Amino acid sequence: METGILVVEKLRGKSTLTRCFSKYPLKFIVPNKVGSSKTDAVWIYSLTYGGGIVCGDCVSCDVTVGEGCTAVLTTQSSTKVYKSVGLKCSEQCFEARVGKDALLVLIPDPVTCFSTARYLQKQIFRMGLDSNLVIVDWITSGRHESGEKWDFKLYKSTNNIYLEDDQPLFLDSVLLEQGSTTTIVERMQNYQVIAMLILVGPKLKNVQNQLQEELKRIMCAQFYMPSTLGRHSNTKSAPTKPTFVTSCSAFGPKGIGLVVRIAATTTESVYKFLQHQLASMEPLLGVCPYC
């Protein structure tokens, strides 16, 4: 049984939330309007009672975005995953269908797992070649103020995108698990955030092109280290590890999709990156994402 159901359809030419159901521990907040009155977009804020997901909770949400509609699903703060009891996991499942010429934008704040937490997340998206989709999926290392860095037991996030007839377009899983020989914090070194941004669809082609050019510039600046030493100098300078690493690759027929992966030393730097890169979507959404 779903703990949340959302349906967005066209009514009198406007994107309208025609069904909104939720039950404990999930709740939705739907503002009357976000941004300009000329913008045709429904914004929905998802939250959980207690501000997080308790061990043993299973949150399941089903979303339908009808033809020509625009819907934005976001959060008010990071999703906290509380400590696990034994081998019990906290689970979150999300399934969405995006209609013809429709746009679904999933832009939550990051997941923050407490010490010993176990978290499983699975997100499934079904769309057509003329549908549009934005997904942000990211996790921080934990509660820094409590001295917790990558101290949870298990984190697994799966994002699968399918075209008509269940044809796979994008299949991805991220697994972070404490090992017997190395811990997560050892493998992550000084990086405190990992994130993934996915953009699919014809409405997002300009955003994709801008992103690819910007990422080339960012990474060239990160890795280009002009030598200030003479050719025959014996002085060696250890390379500085970048504080922000990102990559991107196209996928799908005619490069319809773009996936961007990020590792950063601060959450703030990822927020700023997302704000900047998604700012051009403001005319579609009414406001700039993460602003």
Side-chain angles (χ1 to χ4, degrees):
M1 289 291 293
E2 290 87 357
T3 50
I5 299 175
L6 298 166
V7 178
V8 178
E9 299 174 291
K10 283 283 188 181
L11 286 182
R12 302 181 184 90
K14 285 284 188 180
S15 298
T16 307
L17 186 65
T18 58
R19 187 178 182 192
C20 180
F21 164 80
S22 64
K23 66 178 182 180
Y24 184 87
L26 186 63
K27 183 179 180 181
F28 297 120
I29 297 177
V30 185
N32 288 332
K33 195 65 184 175
V34 175
S36 170
S37 59
K38 297 180 181 179
T39 305
D40 182 30
V42 176
W43 280 71
I44 305 159
Y45 290 83
S46 172
L47 61 151
T48 53
Y49 290 91
I53 304 176
V54 178
C55 174
D57 275 354
C58 183
V59 178
S60 177
C61 186
D62 186 271
V63 177
T64 301
V65 183
E67 182 176 343
C69 294
T70 298
V72 183
L73 189 59
T74 185
T75 54
Q76 291 185 313
S77 62
S78 64
T79 298
K80 300 172 183 64
V81 182
Y82 296 114
K83 294 185 177 185
S84 64
V85 178
L87 297 178
K88 283 186 177 180
C89 292
S90 304
E91 297 183 43
Q92 188 158 259
C93 299
F94 182 90
E95 184 161 355
R97 288 163 296 281
V98 188
K100 180 181 179 181
D101 198 37
L103 170 62
L104 172 61
V105 180
L106 185 63
I107 47 172
D109 294 286
V111 171
T112 298
C113 292
F114 285 26
S115 175
T116 75
R118 294 176 177 271
Y119 180 66
L120 300 175
Q121 173 181 283
K122 186 172 185 179
Q123 301 188 138
I124 297 174
F125 304 87
R126 304 184 188 279
M127 60 184 296
L129 289 173
D130 48 8
S131 307
N132 304 274
L133 178 64
V134 177
I135 306 167
V136 175
D137 187 23
W138 53 322
I139 180 176
T140 71
S141 59
R143 297 183 296 172
H144 293 187
E145 68 280 2
S146 300
E148 297 177 4
K149 292 184 179 180
W150 305 112
D151 199 32
F152 51 85
K153 294 292 185 183
L154 172 69
Y155 169 88
K156 184 177 182 180
S157 178
T158 300
N159 288 279
N160 293 342
I161 305 173
Y162 298 94
L163 297 175
E164 291 95 342
D165 301 323
D166 285 335
Q167 179 185 350
L169 177 65
F170 180 86
L171 307 176
D172 183 85
S173 286
V174 174
L175 175 63
L176 296 173
E177 187 174 15
Q178 299 293 357
S180 57
T181 56
T182 58
T183 62
I184 299 173
V185 70
E186 289 173 330
R187 297 194 295 271
M188 295 303 297
Q189 300 184 33
N190 290 327
Y191 292 105
Q192 306 300 326
V193 186
I194 56 171
M196 180 172 66
L197 167 64
I198 302 171
L199 302 103
V200 189
K203 285 185 178 180
L204 304 169
K205 197 62 183 175
N206 287 339
V207 182
Q208 293 176 1
N209 292 338
Q210 292 171 11
L211 251 172
Q212 287 176 305
E213 290 303 314
E214 182 72 5
L215 294 190
K216 287 179 185 178
R217 185 192 65 77
I218 291 174
M219 296 319 298
C220 283
Q222 287 276 19
F223 288 105
Y224 174 66
M225 299 176 62
S227 175
T228 58
L229 303 173
R231 178 177 295 182
H232 302 293
S233 173
N234 293 325
T235 304
K236 293 184 178 180
S237 177
T240 302
K241 184 180 297 183
T243 59
F244 190 98
V245 179
T246 182
S247 67
C248 70
S249 57
F251 64 88
K254 299 180 180 179
I256 193 174
L258 182 75
V259 56
V260 179
R261 302 184 190 275
I262 302 162
T265 56
T266 66
T267 307
E268 292 75 16
S269 64
V270 181
Y271 270 119
K272 288 180 180 179
F273 175 84
L274 293 171
Q275 287 174 5
H276 178 67
Q277 301 303 331
L278 299 178
S280 60
M281 294 189 65
E282 183 174 348
L284 293 172
L285 308 181
V287 296
C288 171
Y290 294 110
C291 292

